[in-house]
Amino acid sequence: MKKRLFSGCTPSGNLTLGNYLGTVRGWERNQETCDALFAVTDLHALTVPRDPEILRRKSLDFLCLFMACGIDPQKSTLFIQSHNPRHCEVSWILSCQTGWGELSRMTQFKSKSAADRRPSGGLLTYPVLMAADILLYGTELVPVGEDQRQHMELTRRLAKHLNSCAGPVFPLPEAVIPPSTGRVANLLDPTAKMDKSHDNKDTYIALTDTPEEIRRKIGKARTDSRGDFAMDDKDSGIGNLVRIYSALTGLGTGTIIWEYEHRGYGAFKRDLGDIIAETLTPIREKYNRIHREEDYLKQVLALGKDKALEKSERAYKCIKDTFGLITC
Ligand code: TYM
């Protein structure tokens, strides 16, 4: 039997090369080998105030981008998280099983709540909703970037807790994090991760950027003040760019450094801009095509919702039953 796999992205900002290399790129292969679910996690977007019209638009944009990256709604379960109301229900049940102290110590909560004048309760319970997304489908594999590692640890603890109450029903979900692109860095500040909601669009490459924008952003990207291609500092700008180059071409970092050591940063950045543009152009074009097909999108949404409901039936009933809620 195929393993159950779940992943998703929150429809805020613009889907970036970081999201792509950190997780989305692998989904097309995942859907062949696994019973895969991919969600536009719109409920997660509500943790900070948003313009409802923009959230609606972004949710559809992300759905179309997932398909442009190779997700086939027939092979996978492609859906919008809020279309399956069980995510919220299970999230509430699991939040009652989670310590307030543990949630308030989460790294993402600490940094996001410090940056927010009136942090919402949702910001605190966000990782529980993520655990609900995963456990609701009896998930075994979860492709994510490095920044979700701590949330995955909480999810595993909750799975163990459920098993201690209900018997060994839930698999322990495993985070699948790519070793070299689990944390693609901000182009202008390599000590930070590339963030799709950053105010300055020059800090990231969006999947919908044109080749001109891509080349310009790579041209401006931070390299290293030493002027060489040393990879020893994990936070160096040039290290980040070489890892992106390597991930997109399949060439080892040593081969890339050998090639450009004498040709310099200028030649390296020109070639890298071209390589990224070549990768993203077909995605942007497919995205633009799918986005125009309104009737087809409605069918995709309806199919995804039905499949998500069906695949969540078993774990949903088991979780309710475990805590004494009557199912019918
Ligand atoms: P989100 O929308 O912030 O990011 C989507 C995915 O992209 C990864 N990622 C990165 N990978 C490499 N380099 C980066 N700079 C980078 N930035 C982001 C993230 O780790 C993530 O895998 N809470 C999640 C969405 C979610 C989810 C889930 C994921 C909700 N429920 C259940 C997996 C399973 C989020 O907001 O990711």
Side-chain angles (χ1 to χ4, degrees):
M1 215 166 75
K2 284 182 171 178
K3 285 195 172 174
R4 187 62 66 82
L5 177 142
F6 186 102
S7 196
C9 295
T10 302
S12 57
N14 297 296
L15 212 59
T16 70
L17 186 64
N19 302 122
Y20 181 70
L21 292 179
T23 172
V24 179
R25 178 169 74 150
W27 291 358
E28 189 174 12
R29 197 166 7 103
N30 294 151
Q31 75 186 348
E32 303 298 336
T33 54
C34 297
D35 175 8
L37 295 104
F38 301 113
V40 176
T41 53
D42 55 346
L43 294 166
H44 282 264
L46 297 179
T47 52
V48 294
R50 303 219 181 257
D51 178 326
E53 214 31 70
I54 295 180
L55 178 56
R56 268 189 284 274
R57 183 162 55 75
K58 289 274 171 200
S59 296
L60 287 180
D61 289 352
F62 274 45
L63 190 90
C64 294
L65 272 169
F66 289 180
M67 286 191 274
C69 290
I71 300 309
D72 176 345
Q74 302 292 336
K75 287 186 186 164
S76 301
T77 300
L78 173 62
F79 72 110
I80 296 203
Q81 180 193 30
S82 65
H83 288 183
N84 182 353
R86 293 170 180 167
H87 289 254
C88 284
E89 256 184 274
V90 168
S91 177
W92 169 254
I93 297 171
L94 295 180
S95 70
C96 297
Q97 308 300 317
T98 312
W100 183 91
E102 180 173 21
L103 291 176
S104 63
R105 284 192 296 275
M106 290 274 168
T107 317
Q108 253 191 33
F109 171 71
K110 284 201 281 191
S111 63
K112 289 198 172 165
S113 59
D116 198 326
R117 268 196 320 127
R118 292 178 58 231
S120 70
L123 217 48
L124 181 73
T125 51
Y126 174 108
V128 183
L129 178 57
M130 192 164 149
D133 299 340
I134 295 166
L135 299 177
L136 183 55
Y137 297 95
T139 304
E140 294 164 273
L141 299 173
V142 186
V144 276
E146 192 60 55
D147 60 345
Q148 303 298 326
R149 197 182 279 282
Q150 206 179 26
H151 299 160
M152 286 304 301
E153 282 162 14
L154 172 76
T155 305
R156 285 169 67 87
R157 266 201 300 287
L158 281 166
K160 282 184 194 156
H161 176 65
L162 283 171
N163 286 342
S164 72
C165 303
V169 179
F170 290 87
L172 286 192
E174 223 179 278
V176 184
I177 302 176
S180 66
T181 53
R183 183 185 173 282
V184 176
N186 174 314
L187 294 178
L188 299 179
D189 171 12
T191 61
K193 71 165 187 176
M194 187 179 278
D195 177 357
K196 63 177 153 44
S197 302
H198 202 291
D199 292 340
N200 181 354
K201 293 188 174 166
D202 287 351
T203 62
Y204 61 78
I205 305 280
L207 297 191
T208 50
D209 278 347
T210 61
E212 294 70 39
E213 284 168 318
I214 293 168
R215 290 191 191 103
R216 187 184 58 75
K217 289 181 181 182
I218 292 297
K220 277 183 68 177
R222 274 277 297 278
T223 40
D224 198 331
S225 52
R226 292 182 301 190
D228 61 20
F229 281 82
M231 298 280 290
D232 45 349
D233 175 3
K234 75 171 180 36
D235 282 340
S236 86
I238 189 66
N240 184 47
L241 299 180
V242 170
R243 281 190 293 275
I244 294 173
Y245 192 122
S246 167
L248 292 177
T249 56
L251 294 172
T253 53
T255 311
I256 297 166
I257 295 169
W258 173 264
E259 168 75 21
Y260 290 100
E261 233 164 9
H262 302 293
R263 295 174 57 201
Y265 285 162
F268 170 74
K269 282 182 159 186
R270 269 192 304 281
D271 288 354
L272 176 59
D274 288 347
I275 288 163
I276 300 174
E278 264 168 42
T279 306
L280 298 189
T281 297
I283 294 177
R284 195 183 71 256
E285 289 173 353
K286 189 168 175 195
Y287 164 78
N288 287 333
R289 271 198 312 278
I290 296 174
H291 213 285
R292 285 194 290 269
E293 295 177 37
E294 278 184 31
D295 289 343
Y296 174 61
L297 286 179
K298 281 188 193 142
Q299 286 170 25
V300 170
L301 288 178
L303 176 68
K305 176 183 169 177
D306 286 349
K307 283 164 87 171
L309 275 165
E310 190 216 308
K311 288 184 193 274
S312 62
E313 184 76 19
R314 188 161 156 258
Y316 170 69
K317 286 202 165 135
C318 177
I319 292 171
K320 281 185 78 172
D321 191 47
T322 302
F323 296 105
L325 304 173
I326 296 170
T327 51
C328 62

